[in-house]
Amino acid sequence: MEKGKGLARRWAVEFVDTMGSSSSLSSTSGISDPLGFSRSSQDQDDANGGRQKKDAEVAWKAQKAWEVAQAPFKNLLMMGFMMWMAGSTVHLFSIGITFSALWQPLSALQSVGKIFEPYKDSKVDTMAPKLLFIALNMAAMGLGVWKLNTLGLLPTHASDWVSSLPPAREIEYAGGGFPFV
Amino acid sequence: MVWETILPSPSPSKSLLYVMAKENLIFVSGKEWLHAISSLDGMIAWSKYFHLESLQIQQNDQHSERNIIYAAGFSGLSEVELYELSGKTGEVLKKRITSYSGIFFQGTLLVHNDVLVTLDSTRSKIVLVNFQGEVASFHQTYVSDLVHDFSGEASFLSSKFADMFVLKLDSCKALVKVKSGRTVSLIERMEHPDSVSDAILLPEGKKAFAIVQNKETGIHITVTMDGELINEVLRERIELDDNRGRVQKVFINSYIRTDRSYGFRSLLVMEDHSLLLVQQGEIVWNREDGLASIIDSLASELPVEKGATVAKVEHNLFEWLQGHLLKLKGTLMIASPDDIAAIQVMRLKNSEKNKMTRDHNGFRKLLIVLTKAGKVLALHTGDGRVVWSVLVSSLHGTKTCQNPTWLNIYQWQVPHHHALDENPSVLVVGRCGQSLDSPGILSIFDSYTGKELSSSHVSHSIAQVMPLPLTDSKEQHLHVILDSNNNAYLYPRTRDALKLFHHELSNVFWYSIDSTEGIIRGHSLNHNCIHNEADEYCFGTRTLWSIVFPSDSEKIIATTTRKLNEVVHTQAKVVDQDVIYKYISNNALFIATASPEAVGEIGTAIPEEARLVVYLIDAVTGRVMHRLIHHGSQGPIHAIFSENWVVYHYFNLRAHRYEMSVMEIYDQSRVDNKDVLKLVLGKHNLTSPISAYSSPEVLVKSQSYFFTHSVKVMAVTSTAKGITSKHLLIGTIGDQMLALDKRFLDPRRTPTPSPAEKEEGMIPLTDSLPIIPQSYATHSLQVEGLRNIITVPAKLESTTLVFGYGIDLFFTRIAPSRTYDSLTEDFNYALLLITIVALIAAIIVTWVLTEQKDLRDKWR
């Protein structure tokens, strides 16, 4: 999953960068074009083609953003399956799975901005995919919490709160017994 | 033990036994009975009944051929009878009877072959009855002729002297010899604490005896030979410290020296019941036999280690390293025989266990015990050695208080937070004389040194001592002492304690149990002390309530309460994720009564008339919280009360088996505290102080099980925080200590526990409690005459220190839930240390290597 995202971003970034840099280079730097190279005709073609390309890129970005947003869903299903396999008794495996189920959505939520950065665009609305992503991760975390509860590790019972209470002090004191003989 | 025989006669027998070596017989005389018991197998060879007062027996001289037993006694006020019996069969060979013109004092009679020595009814005249001739003759001697300052009444001290006897007078003792059956003469006059040994027979027919005199300069032992002439053969003087008191008894034994003369060893029984063997003026060995009669014991902490000097630390460190090196060698099997020997010596010395300082785990403690002889001893738990001992009686034996008896021992001061520079101390309570009204003695001892810090002879009597859960600013425990007139006295007598007590006065209650009348009374304390208005430390008592058990159907046979210093970790018990609240109260009192028919021994009552009733009573209000009847059962009851449960042991006559029952008490008034949100926010009253007058509803669950053993004593483990699960410690009839998991005594046990209950660790219900041979805390040892078990928490939560005493003493430490909080003693710390060091070294080396490699790569 991570790998795919990374690849997509690098590829997109390079594409944008080269486009930007080549144009900026030609416009800002004072290096003259090579001989026999006419910029004007090509520029016009590029402008047309560039718009088309830009549209395609926006569409592609939006699509990718949605894909990324939906990615936790698969994760959710897999997590659910693994939790079911782990059973409801407390041992190393079930604890590991539960904590990874809690940790993954948390770390994903922390880096939600970073994940959607490649698809950031003035024309692309990343809000909706972000919300979906957050919601799905929340669901995954809920699953983790639910699992924690079934393991009995959440203090949701009265017994969890009173078992550490010391016995109440008694006001009266009575002593005595048999007299010495 | 080879054999044990219980004699059928109803009266107790005299302590003096006669042994006939030739026939292997032991003669025991009771009140009117004479029994001959085979010394080989304990079978009763013959028994004979005499219709006589104050029966006395005597064996004839051992080297004569005939085995004759003389038995004599009074058959009337002025008649005396003498029987000659065959030692082998008990057949009467000769019977002599005679009557005296005066009246005999019926109490004492001595027999020497056919001469009887007795007193007349005024107890100022010695009468010899001589049966040697055909007609018995009487010879009289006035005691005042022997001892000139005689007044009052004389009596005989019972002894196995042949023709001598000891006359006990008010002013002194007199050793008197009978000469040719007619006259008596004084041999030695002795002061009161002095004693005389029995005569022993030397091969030439001579007799020897020892006199021991307690003088300022020490103990003087004089051995005298008594043949044709009386001559002194040995005079020795030994010096002893005051902690053994005076000599009470002496026994002698002879040996032949290299110059063929007789030498004598003497065994001295001291006032503190210790034994000394003296030979040639030296104490060969001594034994603290007073420890066989411990009255009570408590545990005290050892002193904290004071700042050790540097040199000592270095020395210790070197030794420590050397020791661990040796141990390592031992574990790696490369130790030479010398090393193994060194390891053995080190293990034996194992100074860690026997140090005189407090240890981190709290395993080392001082056990302070009070013995019947009035001696306080501190025993080290490491090896049981006596650290210090004080004979309290000798400190207090004055003219006004001649025979002090000692009642109990209490913790007086336990420095914990304040007054840390002071040593802990214990309070020993006694009284002058036997009766309940005699004035009391309070004596306080330093737990570390055994020095008496203070003592007072108080004017009031001591009927009960009630330690309060209060301490003053110097961490002295407040004690209320009740006298026989139901007045209460506060100790220590300081302003601070008084202020504290006044503050708590309305909350302190006292109950008294009168088992003869079957009444329990509850009292409150108030300011006006009836006898002593001026004494600020004296308080009056007022009866608040009383519970009267009908004497024709119930008799109190056992009571028990919780230990005052028991720590309980939690008030809740989790049952299937639900919670129930334990009823934990220091004021709950468990009482068991039996029907009068069932008070005797097992087998004397029939199941229909025998029954036990057990009660749980609140000792503040007198409220009976629970009552339970066991039909067809009888005592003796042994009960133990801990946390919120009582376990008791009794005999079921219907099933012909012993039973154990458990009662668990739960507080119903707190059941409603179930709202998690309220508990999270702390909106509950579970930790607020509770009053007994709120009369909380209790729920009692109980269950009974069969148990194989009869029980001598029961105790329960106690730990520092009360988290560790509990074990019952059962002193069995075989003088062993059985640890029984409390989980076996759980009233919630069912034959088929649910999965949740199984998960909780509940054991399926069975009709009897299992006895697992591995769970004997004493292993294969027997604690002879086990009387009591005390448990002391160690600092380590998992561990309890257990001290059992009877004739033998036994100390161990047990961990009811295994030692989950410590490594085992033989854990190889050195190996661990070496592994860590090796790993660190490897890390450093590899780090250096990689650095070098990196540098090389960069240069390339």
Side-chain angles (χ1 to χ4, degrees):
Chain A
M1 227 20 84
E2 288 285 333
K3 211 174 173 185
K5 269 183 231 165
L7 276 177
R9 185 176 60 211
R10 201 181 302 149
W11 184 80
V13 167
E14 275 174 9
F15 184 74
V16 173
D17 274 358
T18 44
M19 281 306 288
S21 66
S22 69
S23 66
S24 70
L25 234 163
S26 56
S27 61
T28 52
S29 66
I31 300 166
S32 57
D33 290 333
L35 288 172
F37 176 78
S38 149
R39 176 174 286 274
S40 59
S41 63
Q42 262 194 346
D43 264 358
Q44 270 186 340
D45 285 358
D46 272 2
N48 272 340
R51 196 172 301 123
Q52 274 172 7
K53 269 181 188 167
K54 226 156 193 142
D55 286 346
E57 193 193 314
V58 165
W60 177 84
K61 270 186 180 173
Q63 192 201 338
K64 266 299 175 202
W66 278 111
E67 263 176 34
V68 168
Q70 281 165 5
F73 184 69
K74 277 182 248 164
N75 213 350
L76 198 73
L77 287 181
M78 201 173 76
M79 223 53 198
F81 177 69
M82 273 170 64
M83 279 175 181
W84 177 70
M85 290 291 283
S88 64
T89 48
V90 179
H91 51 78
L92 201 67
F93 188 59
S94 62
I95 287 182
I97 283 180
T98 312
F99 278 92
S100 78
L102 286 171
W103 178 245
Q104 267 188 17
L106 259 179
S107 60
L109 285 178
Q110 266 182 346
S111 56
V112 70
K114 227 187 226 169
I115 291 168
F116 283 94
E117 205 169 347
Y119 320 114
K120 218 170 170 184
D121 204 307
S122 55
K123 285 175 190 155
V124 180
D125 179 27
T126 53
M127 201 57 194
K130 261 186 190 170
L131 280 177
L132 180 68
F133 183 80
I134 290 169
L136 281 174
N137 272 312
M138 290 295 245
M141 200 151 82
L143 196 68
V145 170
W146 171 78
K147 183 70 192 170
L148 207 62
N149 193 27
T150 52
L151 289 179
L153 297 178
L154 279 190
T156 49
H157 291 95
S159 55
D160 302 317
W161 294 93
V162 292
S163 54
S164 60
L165 293 178
R169 197 177 67 82
E170 281 181 291
I171 294 168
E172 292 93 356
Y173 173 75
F178 289 108
F180 290 123
V181 279
Chain B
M1 196 192 286
V2 180
W3 55 262
E4 184 179 59
T5 300
I6 295 164
L7 297 173
S9 70
S11 57
S13 69
K14 284 187 181 127
S15 57
L16 267 177
L17 305 179
Y18 287 82
V19 180
M20 189 176 269
K22 275 176 229 160
E23 307 286 345
N24 294 321
L25 286 176
I26 298 168
F27 298 103
V28 185
S29 65
K31 206 171 171 191
E32 290 166 321
W33 281 92
L34 173 62
H35 304 279
I37 297 155
S38 163
S39 62
L40 298 176
D41 53 4
M43 294 290 284
I44 297 175
W46 52 265
S47 293
K48 200 127 188 90
Y49 176 78
F50 298 96
H51 190 67
L52 297 172
E53 270 298 308
S54 97
L55 178 71
Q56 278 287 341
I57 61 166
Q58 205 244 352
Q59 204 181 331
N60 70 336
D61 291 344
Q62 280 178 358
H63 46 250
S64 83
E65 285 303 306
R66 297 155 67 219
N67 294 321
I68 286 179
I69 301 289
Y70 291 96
F74 302 106
S75 55
L77 284 178
S78 54
E79 261 137 50
V80 66
E81 288 181 27
L82 176 74
Y83 292 85
E84 271 181 38
L85 305 172
S86 154
K88 204 172 177 182
T89 58
E91 180 193 349
V92 177
L93 302 173
K94 212 189 266 179
K95 180 186 173 185
R96 305 288 297 270
I97 181 161
T98 188
S99 61
Y100 173 56
S101 54
I103 297 170
F104 288 122
F105 170 61
Q106 302 275 311
T108 49
L109 182 70
L110 297 173
V111 192
H112 172 234
N113 292 352
D114 39 13
V115 178
L116 305 184
V117 185
T118 183
L119 292 167
D120 82 334
S121 56
T122 61
R123 292 171 72 177
S124 60
K125 200 156 59 174
I126 299 167
V127 182
L128 294 184
V129 188
N130 194 330
F131 282 107
Q132 273 163 355
E134 280 301 305
V135 181
S137 59
F138 294 92
H139 307 275
Q140 302 178 6
T141 314
Y142 286 93
V143 178
S144 51
D145 291 345
L146 297 171
V147 180
H148 296 291
D149 58 345
F150 168 72
S151 65
E153 292 175 330
S155 60
F156 295 133
L157 288 181
S158 99
S159 72
K160 283 202 287 186
F161 264 117
D163 50 355
M164 280 185 282
F165 57 91
V166 181
L167 206 57
K168 188 174 174 239
L169 310 173
D170 285 351
S171 56
C172 62
K173 284 177 189 165
L175 184 63
V176 182
K177 186 177 165 73
V178 179
K179 279 186 178 161
S180 61
R182 286 184 176 77
T183 55
V184 290
S185 62
L186 180 75
I187 296 176
E188 181 98 34
R189 186 197 155 122
M190 300 175 295
E191 293 313 311
H192 253 303
D194 301 353
S195 52
V196 182
S197 78
D198 288 337
I200 58 159
L201 209 61
L202 299 176
E204 292 109 65
K206 285 182 182 173
K207 287 173 192 132
F209 61 91
I211 298 172
V212 175
Q213 287 163 308
N214 299 288
K215 286 184 183 161
E216 292 289 308
T217 50
I219 291 165
H220 294 252
I221 305 168
T222 321
V223 178
T224 311
M225 287 253 246
D226 168 39
E228 307 300 308
L229 296 161
I230 289 175
N231 60 331
E232 217 171 77
V233 290
L234 187 73
R235 187 173 272 279
E236 284 169 355
R237 188 177 72 88
I238 50 168
E239 278 183 51
L240 279 178
D241 52 354
D242 289 338
N243 286 335
R244 294 192 185 276
R246 295 179 293 226
V247 179
Q248 285 199 326
K249 268 198 177 133
V250 56
F251 299 91
I252 56 167
N253 172 286
S254 71
Y255 62 95
I256 295 170
R257 292 208 201 115
T258 44
D259 61 350
R260 299 206 156 261
S261 66
Y262 286 105
F264 294 92
R265 301 180 193 99
S266 39
L267 181 70
L268 306 180
V269 182
M270 307 299 293
E271 198 180 350
D272 67 341
H273 298 175
S274 64
L275 298 181
L276 301 175
L277 186 82
V278 179
Q279 186 177 342
Q280 293 173 341
E282 294 280 331
I283 299 169
V284 184
W285 53 258
N286 67 70
R287 250 171 74 124
E288 285 283 358
D289 267 9
L291 286 172
S293 55
I294 292 176
I295 296 173
D296 200 8
S297 64
L298 43 88
S300 163
E301 293 284 351
L302 281 160
V304 189
E305 198 158 12
K306 299 262 158 60
T309 59
V310 180
K312 209 173 172 188
V313 166
E314 276 173 355
H315 178 67
N316 280 348
L317 193 71
F318 180 67
E319 267 191 357
W320 182 82
L321 274 176
Q322 216 176 13
H324 277 293
L325 199 70
L326 273 174
K327 262 192 199 168
L328 186 72
K329 271 186 177 175
T331 42
L332 295 177
M333 311 276 236
I334 53 165
S336 64
D338 285 352
D339 290 342
I340 291 172
I343 295 169
Q344 287 293 336
V345 169
M346 212 169 57
R347 289 232 171 104
L348 271 179
K349 248 196 332 195
N350 200 359
S351 55
E352 191 64 29
K353 204 172 103 185
N354 300 330
K355 263 188 196 166
M356 275 303 297
T357 51
R358 209 173 286 186
D359 65 331
H360 184 67
N361 292 334
F363 290 166
R364 289 199 295 265
K365 289 211 189 312
L366 279 180
L367 292 167
I368 299 177
V369 301
L370 173 70
T371 69
K372 219 171 189 170
K375 195 171 191 179
V376 181
L377 299 105
L379 310 176
H380 194 283
T381 56
D383 53 1
R385 70 177 185 273
V386 177
V387 177
W388 55 260
S389 64
V390 189
L391 186 63
V392 195
S393 295
S394 74
L395 296 175
H396 293 278
T398 56
K399 280 272 172 250
T400 50
C401 182
Q402 282 214 331
N403 288 311
T405 51
W406 300 96
L407 302 170
N408 218 334
I409 184 164
Y410 298 90
Q411 296 276 14
W412 180 254
Q413 190 181 17
V414 186
H416 197 62
H417 295 298
H418 316 289
L420 272 175
D421 51 328
E422 288 188 46
N423 291 352
S425 51
V426 293
L427 167 73
V428 179
V429 178
R431 65 160 82 108
C432 294
Q434 301 287 336
S435 79
L436 203 58
D437 303 324
S438 14
I441 315 167
L442 303 173
S443 184
I444 296 163
F445 291 94
D446 189 319
S447 299
Y448 292 167
T449 60
K451 238 191 286 167
E452 188 172 49
L453 301 174
S454 72
S455 76
S456 54
H457 287 247
V458 293
S459 54
H460 57 84
S461 62
I462 296 179
Q464 268 183 54
V465 179
M466 187 167 102
L468 298 179
L470 301 169
T471 52
D472 69 0
S473 60
K474 286 173 81 187
E475 301 240 9
Q476 292 180 339
H477 286 269
L478 266 61
H479 288 73
V480 168
I481 295 181
L482 282 310
D483 72 359
S484 51
N485 300 322
N486 288 359
N487 285 317
Y489 298 86
L490 177 71
Y491 290 90
R493 291 170 83 92
T494 57
R495 306 296 319 170
D496 190 30
L498 190 68
K499 210 179 117 201
L500 208 67
F501 187 64
H502 271 300
H503 194 252
E504 287 288 323
L505 187 62
S506 58
N507 291 329
V508 174
F509 298 87
W510 164 62
Y511 64 89
S512 60
I513 303 168
D514 188 341
S515 58
T516 49
E517 286 184 41
I519 301 177
I520 305 172
R521 289 188 188 86
H523 312 262
S524 68
L525 304 184
N526 50 28
H527 287 281
N528 43 355
C529 176
I530 303 156
H531 295 283
N532 205 342
E533 290 277 349
D535 188 357
E536 277 186 287
Y537 298 95
C538 177
F539 298 87
T541 57
R542 193 165 56 89
T543 307
L544 288 182
W545 53 265
S546 58
I547 298 172
V548 183
F549 296 103
S551 60
D552 55 340
S553 63
E554 290 184 36
K555 193 166 169 27
I556 300 169
I557 55 168
T559 68
T560 186
T561 56
R562 279 184 59 206
K563 266 203 277 182
L564 182 58
N565 54 3
E566 189 185 48
V567 183
V568 181
H569 175 64
T570 172
Q571 55 175 304
K573 181 168 175 158
V574 181
V575 180
D576 302 339
Q577 294 183 332
D578 203 353
V579 63
I580 46 179
Y581 295 90
K582 299 173 184 172
Y583 178 80
I584 294 163
S585 169
N586 277 321
N587 305 328
L589 173 67
F590 170 85
I591 290 202
T593 65
S595 53
E597 295 86 5
V599 170
E601 276 178 43
I602 291 164
T604 51
I606 54 168
E608 283 69 34
E609 60 188 16
R611 60 170 200 164
L612 291 174
V613 191
V614 297
Y615 295 85
L616 277 173
I617 291 169
D618 186 297
V620 173
T621 58
R623 187 169 72 106
V624 177
M625 293 188 287
H626 189 66
R627 180 172 183 268
L628 189 70
I629 303 177
H630 293 277
H631 287 287
S633 299
Q634 74 161 105
I637 278 198
H638 297 275
I640 185 85
F641 201 147
S642 169
E643 284 194 22
N644 67 325
W645 50 263
V646 188
V647 170
Y648 50 100
H649 176 271
Y650 53 92
F651 190 76
N652 187 332
L653 286 164
R654 289 222 167 88
H656 301 287
R657 289 174 88 172
Y658 284 102
E659 265 186 12
M660 264 169 118
S661 284
V662 58
M663 269 200 306
E664 287 194 357
I665 314 147
Y666 293 99
D667 192 341
Q668 284 294 85
S669 64
R670 307 177 150 231
V671 168
D672 302 332
N673 283 306
K674 275 184 181 162
D675 193 342
V676 179
L677 204 64
K678 272 188 182 168
L679 289 168
V680 173
L681 297 173
K683 284 189 177 164
H684 58 82
N685 59 353
L686 291 173
T687 46
S688 54
I690 50 166
S691 165
Y693 287 102
S694 62
S695 300
E697 274 301 304
V698 295
L699 171 78
V700 177
K701 293 181 180 181
S702 60
Q703 212 168 56
S704 299
Y705 321 87
F706 290 126
F707 188 67
T708 318
H709 285 300
S710 65
V711 165
K712 277 186 162 179
V713 59
M714 271 209 286
V716 66
T717 58
S718 55
T719 52
K721 301 264 191 298
I723 298 170
T724 310
S725 65
K726 303 236 170 201
H727 273 189
L728 291 171
L729 294 168
I730 296 168
T732 63
I733 198 78
D735 290 330
Q736 292 208 306
M737 215 187 273
L738 178 73
L740 182 69
D741 199 326
K742 167 67 178 61
R743 285 190 303 150
F744 285 110
L745 290 144
D746 183 346
R748 288 174 52 239
R749 278 174 74 184
T750 52
T752 49
S754 66
E757 285 172 335
K758 263 186 198 156
E759 199 180 311
E760 194 189 306
M762 192 181 287
I763 303 158
L765 180 64
T766 47
D767 65 340
S768 60
L769 296 172
I771 289 169
I772 304 156
Q774 292 95 311
S775 60
Y776 279 103
T778 44
H779 303 289
S780 61
L781 301 171
Q782 279 189 314
V783 189
E784 189 66 42
L786 183 64
R787 269 182 292 125
N788 201 1
I789 300 171
I790 64 161
T791 56
V792 183
K795 217 182 267 172
L796 211 59
E797 169 57 26
S798 66
T799 313
T800 305
L801 309 178
V802 179
F803 177 51
Y805 59 84
I807 293 171
D808 290 343
L809 309 180
F810 177 79
F811 176 83
T812 189
R813 52 170 197 261
I814 58 173
S817 308
R818 309 261 171 83
T819 48
Y820 55 81
D821 50 2
S822 66
L823 294 167
T824 51
E825 253 182 13
D826 53 353
F827 182 80
N828 205 331
Y829 290 95
L831 198 63
L832 180 73
L833 209 70
I834 287 169
T835 315
I836 291 170
V837 169
L839 281 174
I840 289 171
I843 288 168
I844 291 169
V845 168
T846 46
W847 180 68
V848 170
L849 284 177
T850 45
E851 286 283 292
Q852 284 176 351
K853 193 169 176 287
D854 276 358
L855 199 64
R856 244 181 283 134
D857 284 352
K858 276 176 188 160
W859 277 108
R860 197 170 283 159

